[in-house]
Amino acid sequence: MYVDKHGPKWAEWIRHNIERGCDIMQMKESMVSSVWSEVDAINALNYARGLPTFDSARPDIPNHNLHNVDGHTVRTLCRIVSPNAVLLDNLITEEEAEELLSLAKSKGLRPSSVVDSVNGGSIMHDARTSSGVFFSGEIHPILTKISNRISKLTNWPEDKAEVIQVLCYEKSQEYKPHFDWFDPNFKGSASHLVNGGQRVGTTVIYLQLSEDGGRTSFPEAGVEMSPNVGGAIFFSDVDENGVPDRKTLHAGTPVLDGVKIVATFWQRENTVNK
Ligand SMILES: O=C(O)CCC(=O)C(=O)O
């Protein structure tokens, strides 16, 4: 439990160094600079010392510049505190972006919808003029690879996530400011909350860049982001206690020139039946 997360050698290393009276912060740093996530390292060290462990209420990116996920390096370029949002470079490679793009194009893009706040179904809305593809119930190596990488990076189980969606915005298309979390006050949220609970994390991966416009903006924070191809924006939809965060209001600003294509990955509170 906790100490065994990366095998018996690490468990032994933790126990032995605690017994020797090593500095706990230095131990944590050594673990994090190796294979451990920050949360797992803290939990393992707490557990080994009989202290309470901490299970995060939301996915999050460790507070480091470089992240090694199974040999693939992702870099944090910018981090904002409220909402808890991170601009990432190289979340996926340009080749992986191309592969996902081809898969989406082969499926064909349809006008995007939004959740109907009354009955939970899908409806067309002026607020979202893009077109998109859902890969519901399908298994493709590239989808699995990307969900697996994000789940590891954010320290959140892979089964607690929706399938990836791809969105395409042509000139003048946009997604007006909105929240990704389901508003518990809306009748239509119930059918979504029952399967997987609340949305707790959003990752928007850029697959194709527009020439101008088409940024992801956070109006409450006064921030607009525009990653490279394969770069992404991650944000927690809820606060540290799992409560929907109104600061996560965000938008896909109108594309002024060219075509923007992104993939969106939503993480949930509970396991999702796909
Ligand atoms: O297109 C973007 O930049 C943001 C996408 C978005 O807001 C969403 O899919 O919820």
Side-chain angles (χ1 to χ4, degrees), residues 20-81:
R20 291 196 311 134
C22 288
D23 183 280
I24 294 296
M25 286 314 287
Q26 277 180 11
M27 284 179 69
K28 192 200 85 178
E29 291 310 316
S30 306
M31 291 163 78
V32 167
S33 66
S34 180
V35 288
W36 291 78
S37 72
E38 182 122 16
V39 173
D40 285 344
I42 293 169
N43 275 342
L45 290 167
N46 281 3
Y47 184 81
R49 290 178 302 151
L51 299 175
T53 50
F54 160 79
D55 286 308
S56 174
R58 61 183 188 178
D60 200 359
I61 309 267
N63 198 7
H64 301 292
N65 293 351
L66 291 179
H67 314 278
N68 185 323
V69 190
D70 295 335
H72 175 91
T73 304
V74 181
R75 177 182 280 274
T76 289
L77 295 180
C78 172
R79 186 165 196 125
I80 57 175
V81 174

Side-chain angles (χ1 to χ4, degrees), residues 128 167 169 175 178 180 206 216 250 252 260 262 264 266:
R128 194 182 199 193
L167 285 179
Y169 302 81
Y175 195 172
H178 61 281
D180 285 351
Y206 276 57
T216 304
H250 64 285
K260 163 187 162 185
V262 295
T264 315
W266 285 293

Side-chain angles (χ1 to χ4, degrees), residues 98-142:
E98 189 53 51
E99 199 179 335
L100 182 53
L101 206 50
S102 308
L103 181 65
K105 285 181 178 165
S106 72
K107 298 272 303 170
L109 299 157
R110 290 188 192 81
S112 305
S113 53
V114 296
V115 173
D116 185 335
S117 59
V118 179
N119 64 20
S122 297
I123 50 164
M124 301 303 156
H125 199 286
D126 287 351
R128 194 182 199 193
T129 50
S130 54
S131 50
V133 182
F134 260 113
F135 298 101
S136 291
E138 293 172 50
I139 299 170
H140 288 279
I142 187 66

